[in-house]
Tab-separated table of all heavy atoms in Angstrom:
chain	number	residue	atom	x	y	z
T	35	ILE	N	-20.460	-14.526	-0.755
T	35	ILE	CA	-20.900	-15.855	-0.473
T	35	ILE	C	-20.104	-16.823	-1.177
T	35	ILE	O	-19.618	-17.810	-0.519
T	35	ILE	CB	-22.424	-16.034	-0.825
T	35	ILE	CG1	-23.348	-15.273	-0.041
T	35	ILE	CG2	-22.756	-17.485	-0.691
T	35	ILE	CD1	-23.239	-15.510	1.516
T	36	PHE	N	-19.791	-16.765	-2.440
T	36	PHE	CA	-19.039	-17.692	-3.088
T	36	PHE	C	-17.571	-17.787	-2.592
T	36	PHE	O	-17.011	-18.797	-2.354
T	36	PHE	CB	-18.901	-17.300	-4.568
T	36	PHE	CG	-20.043	-17.686	-5.395
T	36	PHE	CD1	-20.145	-17.393	-6.750
T	36	PHE	CD2	-21.138	-18.400	-4.838
T	36	PHE	CE1	-21.260	-17.817	-7.507
T	36	PHE	CE2	-22.235	-18.829	-5.653
T	36	PHE	CZ	-22.231	-18.488	-6.956
T	39	CYS	N	-17.719	-19.453	0.931
T	39	CYS	CA	-18.021	-20.934	0.807
T	39	CYS	C	-16.953	-21.699	0.124
T	39	CYS	O	-16.765	-22.932	0.362
T	39	CYS	CB	-19.444	-21.181	0.163
T	39	CYS	SG	-20.649	-20.378	1.126
T	40	PHE	N	-16.235	-21.131	-0.834
T	40	PHE	CA	-15.172	-21.844	-1.550
T	40	PHE	C	-14.135	-22.145	-0.421
T	40	PHE	O	-13.510	-23.187	-0.419
T	40	PHE	CB	-14.657	-20.962	-2.506
T	40	PHE	CG	-13.444	-21.692	-3.224
T	40	PHE	CD1	-13.591	-22.819	-3.953
T	40	PHE	CD2	-12.217	-21.065	-3.254
T	40	PHE	CE1	-12.482	-23.388	-4.541
T	40	PHE	CE2	-11.161	-21.653	-3.805
T	40	PHE	CZ	-11.290	-22.850	-4.477
T	42	LEU	N	-14.534	-22.377	2.831
T	42	LEU	CA	-14.992	-23.337	3.735
T	42	LEU	C	-15.049	-24.660	3.119
T	42	LEU	O	-14.816	-25.695	3.766
T	42	LEU	CB	-16.549	-22.846	4.178
T	42	LEU	CG	-16.705	-22.027	5.269
T	42	LEU	CD1	-18.063	-21.641	5.491
T	42	LEU	CD2	-16.130	-22.524	6.598
T	43	GLY	N	-15.505	-24.605	1.812
T	43	GLY	CA	-15.640	-25.806	1.065
T	43	GLY	C	-14.303	-26.375	0.772
T	43	GLY	O	-14.314	-27.594	0.358
T	44	PHE	N	-13.123	-25.826	1.070
T	44	PHE	CA	-11.828	-26.437	0.871
T	44	PHE	C	-11.239	-26.714	2.147
T	44	PHE	O	-10.350	-26.601	2.398
T	44	PHE	CB	-10.988	-25.558	0.090
T	44	PHE	CG	-11.281	-25.778	-1.271
T	44	PHE	CD1	-12.164	-25.081	-1.933
T	44	PHE	CD2	-10.750	-26.957	-1.932
T	44	PHE	CE1	-12.401	-25.313	-3.299
T	44	PHE	CE2	-11.129	-27.201	-3.153
T	44	PHE	CZ	-11.903	-26.429	-3.808
T	58	TYR	N	-20.873	-32.702	10.873
T	58	TYR	CA	-21.930	-31.676	11.079
T	58	TYR	C	-21.456	-30.707	12.105
T	58	TYR	O	-21.694	-29.439	11.976
T	58	TYR	CB	-23.242	-32.352	11.497
T	58	TYR	CG	-24.102	-32.703	10.175
T	58	TYR	CD1	-23.855	-33.949	9.556
T	58	TYR	CD2	-25.078	-31.881	9.781
T	58	TYR	CE1	-24.584	-34.192	8.435
T	58	TYR	CE2	-25.811	-32.209	8.671
T	58	TYR	CZ	-25.573	-33.419	7.966
T	58	TYR	OH	-26.348	-33.779	6.881
T	61	VAL	N	-18.320	-28.427	10.591
T	61	VAL	CA	-18.594	-27.489	9.548
T	61	VAL	C	-19.532	-26.326	10.103
T	61	VAL	O	-19.405	-25.127	9.856
T	61	VAL	CB	-19.108	-28.044	8.291
T	61	VAL	CG1	-20.552	-28.457	8.550
T	61	VAL	CG2	-19.012	-27.099	7.106
T	149	PRO	N	-27.500	-26.283	9.236
T	149	PRO	CA	-28.404	-27.375	8.990
T	149	PRO	C	-28.772	-28.081	10.201
T	149	PRO	O	-28.315	-27.911	11.260
T	149	PRO	CB	-27.342	-28.315	8.209
T	149	PRO	CG	-26.054	-27.990	8.893
T	149	PRO	CD	-26.157	-26.561	9.151
T	161	ILE	N	-19.800	-36.819	2.514
T	161	ILE	CA	-21.138	-36.345	2.846
T	161	ILE	C	-21.322	-34.985	2.275
T	161	ILE	O	-20.427	-34.220	1.989
T	161	ILE	CB	-21.558	-36.330	4.300
T	161	ILE	CG1	-20.761	-35.409	5.061
T	161	ILE	CG2	-21.373	-37.855	4.827
T	161	ILE	CD1	-21.185	-35.103	6.440
T	162	SER	N	-22.628	-34.559	2.183
T	162	SER	CA	-22.914	-33.054	1.846
T	162	SER	C	-23.718	-32.503	2.938
T	162	SER	O	-24.587	-33.117	3.508
T	162	SER	CB	-23.624	-33.103	0.517
T	162	SER	OG	-22.927	-33.677	-0.515
T	163	VAL	N	-23.399	-31.311	3.303
T	163	VAL	CA	-24.128	-30.553	4.381
T	163	VAL	C	-24.716	-29.266	3.813
T	163	VAL	O	-23.917	-28.536	3.253
T	163	VAL	CB	-23.177	-30.287	5.493
T	163	VAL	CG1	-23.973	-29.529	6.782
T	163	VAL	CG2	-22.604	-31.615	6.133
T	164	LYS	N	-25.971	-29.074	4.039
T	164	LYS	CA	-26.527	-27.759	3.401
T	164	LYS	C	-26.882	-26.734	4.454
T	164	LYS	O	-27.404	-26.918	5.447
T	164	LYS	CB	-28.041	-28.154	2.842
T	164	LYS	CG	-28.720	-26.980	2.040
T	164	LYS	CD	-29.876	-27.462	1.355
T	164	LYS	CE	-30.997	-27.770	2.286
T	164	LYS	NZ	-32.312	-28.153	1.588
T	165	PHE	N	-26.367	-25.518	4.098
T	165	PHE	CA	-26.636	-24.196	4.826
T	165	PHE	C	-27.557	-23.290	4.103
T	165	PHE	O	-27.740	-23.532	2.740
T	165	PHE	CB	-25.321	-23.570	5.140
T	165	PHE	CG	-24.411	-24.167	6.168
T	165	PHE	CD1	-23.706	-25.326	5.957
T	165	PHE	CD2	-24.384	-23.614	7.356
T	165	PHE	CE1	-22.863	-25.888	6.936
T	165	PHE	CE2	-23.499	-24.196	8.394
T	165	PHE	CZ	-22.797	-25.258	8.117
T	166	LEU	N	-28.108	-22.376	4.773
T	166	LEU	CA	-28.796	-21.171	4.013
T	166	LEU	C	-28.101	-19.960	4.477
T	166	LEU	O	-27.703	-19.730	5.606
T	166	LEU	CB	-30.242	-21.121	4.418
T	166	LEU	CG	-31.113	-22.308	3.944
T	166	LEU	CD1	-32.553	-22.185	4.498
T	166	LEU	CD2	-31.113	-22.519	2.466
T	167	ILE	N	-27.916	-19.014	3.484
T	167	ILE	CA	-27.473	-17.706	3.819
T	167	ILE	C	-28.645	-16.732	3.549
T	167	ILE	O	-29.198	-16.696	2.398
T	167	ILE	CB	-26.276	-17.302	2.994
T	167	ILE	CG1	-25.188	-18.228	3.112
T	167	ILE	CG2	-25.841	-15.946	3.258
T	167	ILE	CD1	-24.598	-18.299	4.493
T	175	LEU	N	-30.112	-18.171	-0.050
T	175	LEU	CA	-29.155	-18.876	-0.940
T	175	LEU	C	-28.763	-20.122	-0.246
T	175	LEU	O	-28.330	-20.202	0.864
T	175	LEU	CB	-27.857	-18.018	-1.092
T	175	LEU	CG	-26.728	-18.553	-1.907
T	175	LEU	CD1	-27.157	-18.838	-3.377
T	175	LEU	CD2	-25.452	-17.672	-1.928
T	176	GLU	N	-28.967	-21.244	-1.020
T	176	GLU	CA	-28.737	-22.588	-0.532
T	176	GLU	C	-27.226	-22.966	-0.881
T	176	GLU	O	-26.811	-22.828	-2.058
T	176	GLU	CB	-29.621	-23.591	-1.193
T	176	GLU	CG	-29.382	-25.027	-0.682
T	176	GLU	CD	-30.419	-25.980	-1.256
T	176	GLU	OE1	-31.584	-25.891	-1.080
T	176	GLU	OE2	-29.919	-26.840	-2.117
T	177	LEU	N	-26.477	-23.420	0.130
T	177	LEU	CA	-25.080	-23.793	0.040
T	177	LEU	C	-25.037	-25.323	0.511
T	177	LEU	O	-25.445	-25.660	1.580
T	177	LEU	CB	-24.271	-22.962	0.908
T	177	LEU	CG	-24.506	-21.462	0.813
T	177	LEU	CD1	-23.720	-20.724	1.847
T	177	LEU	CD2	-23.963	-20.893	-0.625
T	178	VAL	N	-24.287	-26.025	-0.349
T	178	VAL	CA	-24.051	-27.462	-0.103
T	178	VAL	C	-22.581	-27.610	0.030
T	178	VAL	O	-21.781	-27.461	-0.960
T	178	VAL	CB	-24.643	-28.350	-1.124
T	178	VAL	CG1	-24.399	-29.834	-0.775
T	178	VAL	CG2	-26.224	-28.140	-1.245
T	179	PHE	N	-22.050	-28.020	1.260
T	179	PHE	CA	-20.674	-28.265	1.441
T	179	PHE	C	-20.407	-29.772	1.343
T	179	PHE	O	-21.190	-30.525	1.875
T	179	PHE	CB	-20.181	-27.796	2.889
T	179	PHE	CG	-20.336	-26.336	2.980
T	179	PHE	CD1	-21.494	-25.749	3.502
T	179	PHE	CD2	-19.321	-25.552	2.620
T	179	PHE	CE1	-21.542	-24.369	3.644
T	179	PHE	CE2	-19.407	-24.167	2.804
T	179	PHE	CZ	-20.552	-23.591	3.313
T	180	LYS	N	-19.371	-30.097	0.609
T	180	LYS	CA	-18.929	-31.493	0.446
T	180	LYS	C	-17.772	-31.765	1.362
T	180	LYS	O	-16.753	-30.960	1.420
T	180	LYS	CB	-18.593	-31.838	-0.977
T	180	LYS	CG	-19.751	-31.572	-1.881
T	180	LYS	CD	-19.443	-31.886	-3.389
T	180	LYS	CE	-19.389	-33.367	-3.631
T	180	LYS	NZ	-19.139	-33.653	-5.090
T	181	LEU	N	-17.861	-32.820	2.088
T	181	LEU	CA	-16.716	-33.122	3.181
T	181	LEU	C	-16.280	-34.492	2.991
T	181	LEU	O	-17.176	-35.454	2.530
T	181	LEU	CB	-17.254	-32.993	4.601
T	181	LEU	CG	-17.731	-31.508	4.943
T	181	LEU	CD1	-19.203	-31.374	4.811
T	181	LEU	CD2	-17.159	-31.159	6.301
T	192	ALA	N	-13.566	-30.105	4.687
T	192	ALA	CA	-14.311	-29.791	3.516
T	192	ALA	C	-13.428	-29.747	2.326
T	192	ALA	O	-12.270	-29.385	2.500
T	192	ALA	CB	-15.001	-28.419	3.851
T	193	PHE	N	-13.955	-29.920	1.302
T	193	PHE	CA	-13.075	-29.894	0.003
T	193	PHE	C	-13.765	-29.132	-1.155
T	193	PHE	O	-13.312	-28.817	-2.180
T	193	PHE	CB	-12.628	-31.245	-0.490
T	193	PHE	CG	-13.650	-32.176	-0.958
T	193	PHE	CD1	-14.026	-32.218	-2.345
T	193	PHE	CD2	-14.432	-32.986	-0.077
T	193	PHE	CE1	-15.000	-33.078	-2.782
T	193	PHE	CE2	-15.305	-33.861	-0.498
T	193	PHE	CZ	-15.623	-33.841	-1.929
T	194	ASP	N	-15.197	-28.948	-1.065
T	194	ASP	CA	-15.855	-28.315	-2.104
T	194	ASP	C	-17.156	-27.783	-1.631
T	194	ASP	O	-17.650	-28.286	-0.528
T	194	ASP	CB	-16.075	-29.296	-3.327
T	194	ASP	CG	-16.621	-28.651	-4.628
T	194	ASP	OD1	-16.548	-27.455	-4.726
T	194	ASP	OD2	-17.276	-29.400	-5.402
T	195	MET	N	-17.801	-26.840	-2.369
T	195	MET	CA	-19.174	-26.429	-2.042
T	195	MET	C	-19.955	-26.128	-3.343
T	195	MET	O	-19.314	-25.931	-4.501
T	195	MET	CB	-19.154	-25.105	-1.179
T	195	MET	CG	-18.615	-23.986	-1.812
T	195	MET	SD	-19.640	-23.043	-2.966
T	195	MET	CE	-21.153	-22.789	-1.878
T	196	ILE	N	-21.273	-26.161	-3.302
T	196	ILE	CA	-21.996	-25.984	-4.449
T	196	ILE	C	-23.032	-24.858	-4.129
T	196	ILE	O	-23.739	-25.030	-3.152
T	196	ILE	CB	-22.832	-27.233	-4.914
T	196	ILE	CG1	-21.785	-28.387	-5.223
T	196	ILE	CG2	-23.714	-27.080	-6.071
T	196	ILE	CD1	-22.359	-29.693	-5.502
T	197	ALA	N	-23.071	-23.794	-4.862
T	197	ALA	CA	-24.012	-22.762	-4.689
T	197	ALA	C	-24.655	-22.553	-6.103
T	197	ALA	O	-23.955	-22.285	-6.988
T	197	ALA	CB	-23.366	-21.528	-4.082
T	198	GLU	N	-26.046	-22.451	-6.097
T	198	GLU	CA	-26.734	-22.272	-7.319
T	198	GLU	C	-26.183	-23.220	-8.502
T	198	GLU	O	-25.914	-22.774	-9.580
T	198	GLU	CB	-26.704	-20.852	-7.636
T	198	GLU	CG	-27.340	-19.848	-6.653
T	198	GLU	CD	-27.429	-18.521	-7.083
T	198	GLU	OE1	-26.555	-18.070	-8.095
T	198	GLU	OE2	-28.072	-17.637	-6.541
T	199	ASN	N	-25.949	-24.448	-8.082
T	199	ASN	CA	-25.497	-25.499	-9.017
T	199	ASN	C	-24.048	-25.237	-9.511
T	199	ASN	O	-23.617	-25.738	-10.484
T	199	ASN	CB	-26.498	-25.629	-10.222
T	199	ASN	CG	-27.847	-26.161	-9.690
T	199	ASN	OD1	-28.021	-26.974	-8.937
T	199	ASN	ND2	-28.860	-25.454	-10.358
T	200	ILE	N	-23.353	-24.378	-8.821
T	200	ILE	CA	-21.921	-24.151	-9.321
T	200	ILE	C	-20.981	-24.761	-8.281
T	200	ILE	O	-21.060	-24.420	-7.031
T	200	ILE	CB	-21.620	-22.598	-9.357
T	200	ILE	CG1	-22.605	-22.059	-10.494
T	200	ILE	CG2	-20.204	-22.385	-9.658
T	200	ILE	CD1	-22.477	-20.523	-10.560
T	201	SER	N	-20.296	-25.628	-8.710
T	201	SER	CA	-19.183	-26.262	-7.693
T	201	SER	C	-17.939	-25.435	-7.856
T	201	SER	O	-17.349	-25.206	-8.945
T	201	SER	CB	-18.833	-27.674	-8.284
T	201	SER	OG	-17.686	-28.191	-7.693
T	202	MET	N	-17.455	-24.974	-6.699
T	202	MET	CA	-16.307	-24.175	-6.607
T	202	MET	C	-14.992	-24.958	-7.117
T	202	MET	O	-14.114	-24.487	-7.902
T	202	MET	CB	-15.989	-23.630	-5.289
T	202	MET	CG	-17.060	-22.578	-4.877
T	202	MET	SD	-17.043	-21.074	-5.868
T	202	MET	CE	-18.376	-21.344	-7.019
T	203	LEU	N	-14.873	-26.256	-6.732
T	203	LEU	CA	-13.916	-27.090	-7.061
T	203	LEU	C	-13.909	-27.291	-8.613
T	203	LEU	O	-12.762	-27.296	-9.251
T	203	LEU	CB	-13.910	-28.491	-6.326
T	203	LEU	CG	-12.798	-29.410	-6.584
T	203	LEU	CD1	-11.426	-28.824	-6.224
T	203	LEU	CD2	-12.972	-30.756	-5.827
Side-chain angles (χ1 to χ4, degrees):
I35 293 302
F36 279 178
C39 298
F40 177 64
L42 275 172
F44 270 97
Y58 272 83
V61 72
I161 67 165
S162 298
V163 180
K164 183 174 73 175
F165 286 76
L166 296 176
I167 302 297
L175 178 62
E176 182 178 294
L177 308 169
V178 180
F179 295 90
K180 300 180 72 173
L181 301 97
F193 68 91
D194 191 18
M195 67 77 58
I196 300 170
E198 298 184 343
N199 296 318
I200 298 174
S201 161
M202 294 294 100
L203 184 57

